[in-house]
Amino acid sequence: MIVGKLLLLALWATLGLNWIALQLSPEFAYITLHYIGLVLIAAHIFEFFYFFPKIWATDKPLKNGVMVLIFGVLQVMGLKQKSSAGQ
């Protein structure tokens, strides 16, 4: 799972650099990467709302919500529920 997260961070970095390239010099940017970025953002937002009950049931819902927006389902697989030892 660590390798998947590293590859996803590399993809986010590539998409970010492509966006910067578009701002600085449009002839060096690839429009296909922009569409890939939009699909990736839409998929992660969908995952966030789909898995929201599971994210909310964790110890740190805000942190885990942001991580799901970055890593998507790779983060959801590692989520653990709140411990119910106090009940």
Side-chain angles (χ1 to χ4, degrees):
M1 189 159 51
I2 298 294
V3 174
K5 286 185 176 183
L6 290 174
L7 289 173
L8 194 55
L9 282 176
L11 178 62
W12 280 119
T14 303
L15 294 172
L17 290 174
N18 189 57
W19 183 80
I20 291 171
L22 178 66
Q23 303 305 316
L24 298 177
S25 179
E27 63 269 5
F28 291 119
Y30 295 101
I31 196 70
T32 306
L33 287 179
H34 290 288
Y35 291 126
I36 291 170
L38 289 174
V39 169
L40 186 64
I41 289 169
H44 285 205
I45 290 172
F46 174 77
E47 290 169 351
F48 174 79
F49 286 113
Y50 184 78
F51 293 110
F52 186 76
K54 188 173 183 175
I55 295 167
W56 191 255
T58 61
D59 290 332
K60 299 176 182 174
L62 182 63
K63 175 189 166 251
N64 288 324
V66 170
M67 296 299 277
V68 166
L69 287 173
I70 296 171
F71 296 115
V73 77
L74 296 174
Q75 180 68 22
V76 173
M77 291 187 304
L79 291 180
K80 296 186 178 28
Q81 301 296 320
K82 286 183 186 175
S83 60
S84 59
Q87 297 178 351

Coordinates of all heavy atoms in Angstrom, one line a residue:
M1 N 0.8 -1.2 0.0 CA 0.0 0.0 0.0 C 0.9 1.3 0.0 O 0.5 2.3 -0.5 CB -0.9 0.0 1.2 CG -2.0 1.1 1.1 SD -3.5 0.9 2.1 CE -2.9 0.5 3.7
I2 N 2.0 1.2 0.6 CA 3.0 2.3 0.6 C 3.4 2.6 -0.8 O 3.5 3.8 -1.2 CB 4.2 2.0 1.5 CG1 3.8 1.7 2.9 CG2 5.2 3.1 1.4 CD1 3.2 2.9 3.6
V3 N 3.7 1.6 -1.6 CA 4.1 1.9 -3.0 C 3.0 2.6 -3.8 O 3.2 3.5 -4.5 CB 4.5 0.5 -3.7 CG1 4.8 0.7 -5.1 CG2 5.7 -0.1 -3.0
G4 N 1.7 2.2 -3.6 CA 0.6 2.8 -4.2 C 0.5 4.3 -3.8 O 0.2 5.1 -4.7
K5 N 0.7 4.6 -2.5 CA 0.6 6.0 -2.1 C 1.7 6.8 -2.7 O 1.6 7.9 -3.1 CB 0.6 6.0 -0.6 CG -0.7 5.6 0.1 CD -0.7 5.8 1.6 CE -2.0 5.4 2.2 NZ -2.0 5.7 3.6
L6 N 2.9 6.2 -2.8 CA 4.1 6.9 -3.4 C 3.8 7.2 -4.8 O 4.1 8.3 -5.3 CB 5.4 6.2 -3.2 CG 5.9 6.1 -1.7 CD1 7.1 5.2 -1.6 CD2 6.2 7.5 -1.2
L7 N 3.3 6.2 -5.5 CA 3.0 6.4 -7.0 C 1.9 7.5 -7.1 O 1.9 8.3 -8.1 CB 2.5 5.1 -7.6 CG 3.6 4.1 -7.8 CD1 3.0 2.8 -8.3 CD2 4.7 4.6 -8.8
L8 N 0.9 7.5 -6.2 CA -0.2 8.5 -6.3 C 0.4 9.9 -6.0 O 0.0 10.9 -6.7 CB -1.3 8.1 -5.4 CG -2.6 8.9 -5.6 CD1 -3.1 8.7 -7.0 CD2 -3.6 8.4 -4.6
L9 N 1.3 10.0 -5.1 CA 1.9 11.3 -4.8 C 2.7 11.7 -6.0 O 2.8 12.9 -6.4 CB 2.8 11.2 -3.6 CG 2.1 11.3 -2.2 CD1 3.2 11.1 -1.1 CD2 1.4 12.6 -2.1
A10 N 3.4 10.8 -6.7 CA 4.2 11.1 -7.9 C 3.2 11.6 -9.0 O 3.5 12.6 -9.7 CB 5.0 9.9 -8.4
L11 N 2.0 11.0 -9.1 CA 1.0 11.5 -10.1 C 0.5 12.9 -9.8 O 0.4 13.7 -10.6 CB -0.1 10.5 -10.2 CG -1.3 10.9 -11.1 CD1 -0.8 10.9 -12.5 CD2 -2.4 9.9 -10.9
W12 N 0.2 13.1 -8.5 CA -0.2 14.5 -8.1 C 0.9 15.5 -8.4 O 0.6 16.6 -8.8 CB -0.5 14.5 -6.6 CG -1.9 14.0 -6.2 CD1 -2.1 12.9 -5.4 CD2 -3.2 14.5 -6.6 NE1 -3.5 12.7 -5.3 CE2 -4.1 13.7 -6.0 CE3 -3.6 15.5 -7.4 CZ2 -5.5 13.9 -6.2 CZ3 -4.9 15.7 -7.6 CH2 -5.9 14.9 -7.0
A13 N 2.2 15.1 -8.1 CA 3.3 16.0 -8.4 C 3.3 16.3 -9.9 O 3.5 17.5 -10.4 CB 4.6 15.5 -7.9
T14 N 3.2 15.3 -10.7 CA 3.2 15.4 -12.2 C 2.1 16.3 -12.7 O 2.3 17.2 -13.5 CB 3.1 14.1 -12.9 OG1 4.2 13.3 -12.4 CG2 3.2 14.2 -14.4
L15 N 0.9 16.1 -12.1 CA -0.2 17.0 -12.5 C 0.0 18.4 -12.1 O -0.4 19.3 -12.8 CB -1.5 16.4 -11.9 CG -2.0 15.0 -12.4 CD1 -3.1 14.5 -11.6 CD2 -2.3 15.1 -13.9
G16 N 0.5 18.6 -10.9 CA 0.8 20.0 -10.4 C 1.8 20.7 -11.3 O 1.7 21.8 -11.6
L17 N 2.9 19.9 -11.6 CA 3.9 20.5 -12.5 C 3.4 20.9 -13.9 O 3.7 21.9 -14.5 CB 5.1 19.6 -12.6 CG 6.0 19.5 -11.4 CD1 7.0 18.4 -11.6 CD2 6.6 20.8 -11.0
N18 N 2.5 20.0 -14.4 CA 1.9 20.3 -15.7 C 1.0 21.5 -15.6 O 0.9 22.3 -16.5 CB 1.0 19.1 -16.1 CG 0.6 19.2 -17.5 OD1 1.4 19.4 -18.4 ND2 -0.7 19.2 -17.7
W19 N 0.3 21.7 -14.5 CA -0.6 22.9 -14.3 C 0.3 24.1 -14.3 O 0.0 25.2 -14.9 CB -1.4 22.8 -13.0 CG -2.3 23.9 -12.9 CD1 -3.5 24.1 -13.5 CD2 -2.1 25.1 -12.0 NE1 -4.0 25.3 -13.1 CE2 -3.2 25.9 -12.2 CE3 -1.0 25.5 -11.2 CZ2 -3.3 27.1 -11.5 CZ3 -1.1 26.7 -10.5 CH2 -2.2 27.5 -10.7
I20 N 1.5 24.1 -13.6 CA 2.4 25.2 -13.5 C 2.9 25.5 -14.9 O 3.1 26.6 -15.3 CB 3.5 24.9 -12.5 CG1 2.9 24.9 -11.1 CG2 4.6 26.0 -12.6 CD1 3.9 24.5 -10.0
A21 N 3.3 24.4 -15.7 CA 3.8 24.6 -17.0 C 2.8 25.3 -17.9 O 3.1 26.1 -18.7 CB 4.2 23.2 -17.6
L22 N 1.5 25.0 -17.7 CA 0.4 25.6 -18.5 C 0.4 27.1 -18.2 O 0.2 27.9 -19.1 CB -0.9 25.0 -18.2 CG -2.1 25.6 -18.9 CD1 -1.9 25.4 -20.4 CD2 -3.4 25.0 -18.5
Q23 N 0.6 27.5 -16.9 CA 0.5 28.9 -16.5 C 1.7 29.6 -17.1 O 1.6 30.8 -17.5 CB 0.5 29.0 -15.0 CG -0.7 28.3 -14.4 CD -2.0 28.7 -14.9 OE1 -2.3 29.9 -15.1 NE2 -2.9 27.7 -15.2
L24 N 2.9 29.0 -17.1 CA 4.1 29.7 -17.5 C 4.3 29.7 -19.0 O 4.7 30.7 -19.6 CB 5.3 29.0 -16.8 CG 5.4 29.1 -15.3 CD1 6.6 28.4 -14.8 CD2 5.4 30.6 -14.9
S25 N 4.0 28.5 -19.6 CA 4.3 28.4 -21.1 C 3.3 27.4 -21.6 O 3.6 26.2 -21.6 CB 5.7 28.0 -21.3 OG 6.0 27.8 -22.7
P26 N 2.2 27.8 -22.2 CA 1.2 26.8 -22.7 C 1.6 25.8 -23.7 O 1.1 24.7 -23.8 CB 0.1 27.7 -23.3 CG 0.3 29.1 -22.7 CD 1.8 29.2 -22.4
E27 N 2.7 26.1 -24.5 CA 3.1 25.1 -25.5 C 3.8 23.9 -24.9 O 3.9 22.8 -25.5 CB 4.0 25.7 -26.5 CG 5.3 26.3 -26.0 CD 5.2 27.7 -25.6 OE1 4.2 28.3 -25.6 OE2 6.3 28.3 -25.2
F28 N 4.2 23.9 -23.6 CA 4.9 22.8 -23.0 C 3.9 22.0 -22.1 O 4.3 21.0 -21.5 CB 6.0 23.3 -22.1 CG 7.2 23.8 -22.9 CD1 7.5 25.1 -22.7 CD2 7.8 23.0 -23.8 CE1 8.6 25.7 -23.5 CE2 8.8 23.6 -24.6 CZ 9.2 24.9 -24.4
A29 N 2.7 22.4 -22.0 CA 1.7 21.6 -21.2 C 0.9 20.6 -22.0 O 0.7 20.8 -23.2 CB 0.7 22.6 -20.5
Y30 N 0.5 19.5 -21.4 CA -0.2 18.5 -22.0 C -1.7 18.6 -21.5 O -1.9 18.3 -20.3 CB 0.4 17.1 -21.8 CG 1.7 16.9 -22.4 CD1 2.9 17.0 -21.6 CD2 1.9 16.7 -23.8 CE1 4.1 16.9 -22.2 CE2 3.1 16.6 -24.3 CZ 4.2 16.7 -23.5 OH 5.5 16.5 -24.1
I31 N -2.6 18.8 -22.4 CA -4.0 19.0 -22.0 C -4.6 17.7 -21.5 O -5.5 17.7 -20.6 CB -4.8 19.6 -23.1 CG1 -6.2 20.1 -22.6 CG2 -5.1 18.6 -24.2 CD1 -6.0 21.4 -21.8
T32 N -4.1 16.6 -22.0 CA -4.5 15.2 -21.5 C -4.3 15.1 -20.0 O -5.1 14.5 -19.3 CB -3.8 14.1 -22.3 OG1 -4.0 14.3 -23.7 CG2 -4.4 12.8 -21.9
L33 N -3.2 15.6 -19.5 CA -2.9 15.5 -18.1 C -3.9 16.3 -17.3 O -4.2 15.9 -16.1 CB -1.5 15.9 -17.8 CG -0.4 15.0 -18.2 CD1 1.0 15.6 -17.9 CD2 -0.6 13.6 -17.5
H34 N -4.4 17.4 -17.8 CA -5.4 18.1 -17.1 C -6.7 17.3 -17.0 O -7.4 17.4 -15.9 CB -5.7 19.5 -17.8 CG -4.6 20.4 -17.7 ND1 -4.3 21.1 -16.6 CD2 -3.7 20.8 -18.6 CE1 -3.2 21.8 -16.8 NE2 -2.8 21.7 -18.0
Y35 N -7.1 16.6 -18.0 CA -8.3 15.8 -17.9 C -8.1 14.6 -17.0 O -9.0 14.3 -16.2 CB -8.7 15.3 -19.3 CG -9.2 16.3 -20.2 CD1 -8.6 16.5 -21.5 CD2 -10.2 17.2 -19.8 CE1 -9.1 17.6 -22.3 CE2 -10.7 18.2 -20.7 CZ -10.1 18.4 -21.9 OH -10.6 19.4 -22.7
I36 N -6.9 14.0 -17.0 CA -6.6 13.0 -16.0 C -6.7 13.5 -14.6 O -7.3 12.9 -13.7 CB -5.2 12.4 -16.2 CG1 -5.2 11.6 -17.5 CG2 -4.8 11.5 -15.1 CD1 -3.8 11.2 -18.0
G37 N -6.2 14.7 -14.4 CA -6.3 15.4 -13.0 C -7.7 15.6 -12.6 O -8.1 15.4 -11.5
L38 N -8.6 16.1 -13.6 CA -10.0 16.3 -13.2 C -10.7 15.0 -12.9 O -11.5 15.0 -12.0 CB -10.7 17.0 -14.4 CG -10.3 18.5 -14.7 CD1 -10.9 19.0 -15.9 CD2 -10.7 19.3 -13.5
V39 N -10.4 14.0 -13.6 CA -11.0 12.7 -13.3 C -10.5 12.2 -11.9 O -11.3 11.7 -11.1 CB -10.7 11.6 -14.4 CG1 -11.0 10.2 -14.0 CG2 -11.4 12.0 -15.7
L40 N -9.3 12.3 -11.6 CA -8.7 11.9 -10.3 C -9.4 12.7 -9.2 O -9.8 12.1 -8.2 CB -7.2 12.1 -10.3 CG -6.5 11.6 -9.1 CD1 -6.6 10.1 -9.0 CD2 -5.0 11.9 -9.2
I41 N -9.5 14.0 -9.4 CA -10.1 14.8 -8.3 C -11.6 14.4 -8.1 O -12.1 14.3 -7.0 CB -10.0 16.3 -8.7 CG1 -8.6 16.8 -8.5 CG2 -10.9 17.2 -7.8 CD1 -8.3 18.2 -9.1
A42 N -12.3 14.2 -9.2 CA -13.7 13.8 -9.1 C -13.9 12.4 -8.5 O -14.7 12.2 -7.6 CB -14.3 13.8 -10.5
A43 N -13.0 11.5 -8.8 CA -13.0 10.2 -8.2 C -12.8 10.3 -6.7 O -13.5 9.6 -5.9 CB -12.0 9.3 -8.8
H44 N -11.8 11.1 -6.2 CA -11.5 11.2 -4.8 C -12.6 11.9 -4.1 O -12.9 11.5 -2.9 CB -10.2 11.8 -4.6 CG -9.0 10.9 -5.0 ND1 -7.8 11.1 -4.4 CD2 -8.9 9.8 -5.8 CE1 -7.0 10.1 -4.9 NE2 -7.7 9.4 -5.7
I45 N -13.2 12.9 -4.7 CA -14.4 13.5 -4.0 C -15.5 12.5 -3.9 O -16.2 12.5 -2.8 CB -14.8 14.8 -4.8 CG1 -13.7 15.9 -4.6 CG2 -16.1 15.3 -4.3 CD1 -13.9 17.1 -5.4
F46 N -15.8 11.7 -4.9 CA -16.8 10.7 -4.8 C -16.5 9.7 -3.7 O -17.4 9.3 -2.9 CB -17.0 10.0 -6.2 CG -17.9 8.8 -6.1 CD1 -19.3 9.0 -6.1 CD2 -17.4 7.5 -6.0 CE1 -20.2 8.0 -6.1 CE2 -18.3 6.5 -6.0 CZ -19.7 6.7 -6.0
E47 N -15.3 9.3 -3.6 CA -14.9 8.3 -2.6 C -15.1 8.9 -1.2 O -15.5 8.2 -0.3 CB -13.4 7.9 -2.8 CG -13.2 7.0 -4.0 CD -11.7 6.8 -4.3 OE1 -10.9 7.5 -3.7 OE2 -11.4 6.0 -5.1
F48 N -14.7 10.2 -1.1 CA -14.9 10.9 0.2 C -16.4 10.8 0.7 O -16.7 10.5 1.8 CB -14.4 12.3 0.1 CG -14.7 13.1 1.4 CD1 -13.9 13.0 2.4 CD2 -15.8 14.0 1.4 CE1 -14.1 13.7 3.6 CE2 -16.0 14.7 2.6 CZ -15.2 14.6 3.7
F49 N -17.3 11.2 -0.2 CA -18.7 11.2 0.1 C -19.2 9.8 0.3 O -20.1 9.5 1.1 CB -19.5 12.0 -0.9 CG -19.3 13.5 -0.7 CD1 -18.7 14.2 -1.7 CD2 -19.7 14.1 0.4 CE1 -18.5 15.6 -1.6 CE2 -19.5 15.5 0.6 CZ -18.9 16.2 -0.4
Y50 N -18.8 8.8 -0.5 CA -19.2 7.5 -0.4 C -18.8 6.8 0.9 O -19.6 6.1 1.5 CB -18.7 6.6 -1.6 CG -19.2 5.2 -1.6 CD1 -20.5 5.0 -2.1 CD2 -18.4 4.2 -1.2 CE1 -21.0 3.7 -2.2 CE2 -18.9 2.9 -1.3 CZ -20.2 2.6 -1.7 OH -20.6 1.3 -1.8
F51 N -17.6 7.1 1.3 CA -17.0 6.5 2.5 C -17.1 7.4 3.7 O -16.5 7.1 4.8 CB -15.6 6.0 2.3 CG -15.4 4.9 1.4 CD1 -14.8 5.1 0.1 CD2 -15.8 3.6 1.7 CE1 -14.7 4.1 -0.7 CE2 -15.7 2.6 0.8 CZ -15.1 2.8 -0.4
F52 N -17.9 8.5 3.7 CA -18.0 9.4 4.7 C -18.4 8.8 6.1 O -17.8 9.1 7.1 CB -19.0 10.6 4.4 CG -19.0 11.7 5.4 CD1 -17.9 12.6 5.5 CD2 -20.0 11.8 6.3 CE1 -17.9 13.6 6.4 CE2 -20.0 12.8 7.3 CZ -19.0 13.7 7.3
P53 N -19.4 7.9 6.1 CA -19.7 7.3 7.4 C -18.6 6.5 8.0 O -18.3 6.6 9.2 CB -20.9 6.3 7.1 CG -21.5 6.9 5.8 CD -20.4 7.5 5.1
K54 N -17.8 5.9 7.2 CA -16.6 5.1 7.7 C -15.5 6.1 8.2 O -14.9 5.9 9.2 CB -16.1 4.2 6.6 CG -15.0 3.3 7.1 CD -14.6 2.3 6.0 CE -13.6 1.3 6.6 NZ -13.2 0.3 5.7
I55 N -15.4 7.2 7.4 CA -14.4 8.2 7.8 C -14.8 8.9 9.1 O -14.0 9.1 10.0 CB -14.2 9.3 6.7 CG1 -13.7 8.6 5.5 CG2 -13.4 10.4 7.2 CD1 -13.8 9.5 4.2
W56 N -16.1 9.2 9.3 CA -16.6 9.9 10.5 C -16.5 9.0 11.7 O -16.4 9.5 12.8 CB -18.0 10.3 10.3 CG -18.5 11.2 11.3 CD1 -19.4 10.9 12.3 CD2 -18.2 12.6 11.5 NE1 -19.6 12.0 13.1 CE2 -18.9 13.0 12.6 CE3 -17.3 13.4 10.8 CZ2 -18.8 14.3 13.1 CZ3 -17.2 14.7 11.3 CH2 -17.9 15.2 12.4
A57 N -16.5 7.7 11.5 CA -16.4 6.7 12.7 C -15.0 6.5 13.2 O -14.8 5.6 14.0 CB -17.1 5.4 12.3
T58 N -14.0 7.2 12.6 CA -12.6 7.0 13.1 C -12.3 8.0 14.2 O -13.1 8.9 14.5 CB -11.6 7.2 11.9 OG1 -11.8 8.5 11.4 CG2 -11.9 6.2 10.8
D59 N -11.1 7.8 14.8 CA -10.7 8.7 15.9 C -10.4 10.1 15.4 O -10.6 11.0 16.1 CB -9.4 8.1 16.5 CG -9.7 6.8 17.3 OD1 -10.9 6.7 17.8 OD2 -8.8 6.0 17.5
K60 N -9.8 10.2 14.2 CA -9.5 11.5 13.6 C -10.2 11.7 12.3 O -9.6 11.6 11.2 CB -8.0 11.6 13.5 CG -7.2 11.5 14.8 CD -5.7 11.5 14.5 CE -5.0 11.3 15.8 NZ -3.6 11.1 15.7
P61 N -11.4 12.1 12.3 CA -12.2 12.2 11.0 C -11.7 13.3 10.1 O -11.7 13.1 8.9 CB -13.6 12.4 11.5 CG -13.6 12.9 12.8 CD -12.3 12.4 13.5
L62 N -11.2 14.4 10.6 CA -10.8 15.5 9.8 C -9.5 15.1 9.0 O -9.4 15.2 7.8 CB -10.6 16.7 10.6 CG -10.1 18.0 9.8 CD1 -11.2 18.4 8.8 CD2 -9.8 19.1 10.7
K63 N -8.6 14.5 9.8 CA -7.3 14.1 9.2 C -7.5 13.0 8.1 O -7.0 13.0 7.0 CB -6.3 13.6 10.2 CG -5.1 13.0 9.7 CD -4.2 12.4 10.8 CE -3.2 11.5 10.2 NZ -3.4 10.1 10.3
N64 N -8.4 12.0 8.5 CA -8.6 10.9 7.6 C -9.4 11.4 6.4 O -9.2 10.8 5.3 CB -9.4 9.8 8.3 CG -8.5 9.1 9.3 OD1 -7.3 8.9 9.0 ND2 -9.0 8.7 10.4
G65 N -10.3 12.4 6.5 CA -11.0 12.9 5.4 C -10.1 13.6 4.4 O -10.2 13.4 3.2
V66 N -9.1 14.3 4.9 CA -8.1 15.0 4.0 C -7.3 13.9 3.3 O -7.0 14.0 2.1 CB -7.3 16.0 4.8 CG1 -6.1 16.5 3.9 CG2 -8.1 17.1 5.2
M67 N -6.9 12.9 4.1 CA -6.1 11.8 3.5 C -6.8 11.0 2.4 O -6.2 10.6 1.4 CB -5.6 10.9 4.6 CG -4.7 11.5 5.6 SD -3.2 12.2 4.9 CE -2.2 10.7 4.8
V68 N -8.1 10.8 2.6 CA -8.9 10.2 1.6 C -9.0 11.0 0.3 O -9.0 10.5 -0.8 CB -10.4 9.8 2.1 CG1 -11.3 9.4 1.0 CG2 -10.3 8.7 3.1
L69 N -9.1 12.3 0.5 CA -9.1 13.2 -0.7 C -7.8 13.2 -1.5 O -7.8 13.4 -2.7 CB -9.4 14.7 -0.3 CG -10.9 14.9 0.1 CD1 -11.0 16.3 0.6 CD2 -11.8 14.7 -1.0
I70 N -6.7 12.9 -0.8 CA -5.4 12.8 -1.4 C -5.1 11.4 -2.0 O -4.8 11.2 -3.1 CB -4.3 13.2 -0.4 CG1 -4.4 14.6 0.0 CG2 -2.9 12.9 -1.1 CD1 -3.5 15.1 1.1
F71 N -5.3 10.4 -1.1 CA -5.0 9.0 -1.5 C -6.2 8.1 -1.9 O -6.0 7.0 -2.4 CB -4.3 8.3 -0.3 CG -3.0 9.0 0.0 CD1 -2.8 9.6 1.2 CD2 -1.9 9.0 -0.9 CE1 -1.6 10.2 1.5 CE2 -0.7 9.6 -0.6 CZ -0.5 10.2 0.6
G72 N -7.4 8.6 -1.7 CA -8.5 7.8 -2.2 C -8.7 6.5 -1.4 O -8.6 6.4 -0.2
V73 N -9.1 5.5 -2.2 CA -9.4 4.2 -1.6 C -8.2 3.6 -0.9 O -8.4 2.7 0.0 CB -10.0 3.3 -2.7 CG1 -9.0 2.7 -3.6 CG2 -10.8 2.2 -2.0
L74 N -7.0 4.0 -1.3 CA -5.8 3.4 -0.6 C -5.8 3.8 0.9 O -5.4 3.1 1.8 CB -4.5 4.0 -1.2 CG -4.3 3.5 -2.7 CD1 -3.0 4.2 -3.2 CD2 -4.1 2.0 -2.7
Q75 N -6.3 5.0 1.2 CA -6.5 5.4 2.6 C -7.7 4.7 3.3 O -7.6 4.4 4.5 CB -6.6 6.9 2.7 CG -6.7 7.5 4.1 CD -5.5 7.3 5.0 OE1 -4.4 7.2 4.4 NE2 -5.6 7.4 6.3
V76 N -8.7 4.6 2.6 CA -9.9 4.0 3.2 C -9.7 2.5 3.6 O -10.2 2.1 4.7 CB -11.1 4.0 2.1 CG1 -12.3 3.2 2.7 CG2 -11.5 5.4 1.8
M77 N -8.8 1.8 2.9 CA -8.5 0.4 3.3 C -7.8 0.3 4.6 O -8.0 -0.6 5.3 CB -7.7 -0.2 2.2 CG -8.4 -0.5 0.9 SD -7.5 -1.4 -0.3 CE -6.0 -0.5 -0.5
G78 N -7.1 1.4 5.0 CA -6.4 1.4 6.3 C -7.1 2.0 7.4 O -6.5 2.1 8.5
L79 N -8.3 2.5 7.2 CA -9.1 3.1 8.3 C -9.5 2.1 9.4 O -9.9 1.0 9.1 CB -10.3 3.8 7.8 CG -10.0 5.1 6.9 CD1 -11.4 5.7 6.5 CD2 -9.2 6.1 7.7
K80 N -9.4 2.5 10.6 CA -9.8 1.7 11.8 C -10.9 2.5 12.5 O -10.9 3.7 12.6 CB -8.7 1.4 12.7 CG -7.6 0.6 12.1 CD -6.5 0.2 13.1 CE -5.4 -0.6 12.5 NZ -5.1 -0.6 11.1
Q81 N -11.9 1.7 13.0 CA -13.0 2.3 13.7 C -12.6 2.8 15.1 O -11.6 2.4 15.6 CB -14.2 1.3 13.9 CG -14.7 0.8 12.5 CD -15.3 1.9 11.7 OE1 -16.0 2.7 12.2 NE2 -15.1 1.8 10.4
K82 N -13.4 3.7 15.7 CA -13.1 4.2 17.0 C -13.2 3.0 18.0 O -14.0 2.1 17.8 CB -14.1 5.2 17.5 CG -14.0 6.5 16.9 CD -15.1 7.4 17.5 CE -15.0 8.8 16.7 NZ -16.1 9.6 17.2
S83 N -12.3 3.0 19.0 CA -12.3 1.9 20.0 C -13.5 2.2 20.9 O -13.8 3.3 21.3 CB -11.1 1.9 20.8 OG -10.9 3.1 21.4
S84 N -14.3 1.2 21.1 CA -15.5 1.3 21.9 C -15.3 0.7 23.3 O -16.2 0.1 23.9 CB -16.7 0.6 21.3 OG -16.4 -0.8 21.0
A85 N -14.1 0.8 23.9 CA -13.7 0.3 25.2 C -14.4 1.0 26.3 O -14.7 0.5 27.3 CB -12.2 0.3 25.4
G86 N -14.7 2.3 26.1 CA -15.4 3.1 27.1 C -16.9 2.8 27.2 O -17.5 3.3 28.1
Q87 N -17.4 2.1 26.3 CA -18.9 1.8 26.4 C -19.2 0.5 26.9 O -18.6 -0.5 26.9 CB -19.5 2.0 25.0 CG -19.3 3.3 24.5 CD -19.9 3.5 23.0 OE1 -20.2 2.5 22.4 NE2 -19.9 4.7 22.6

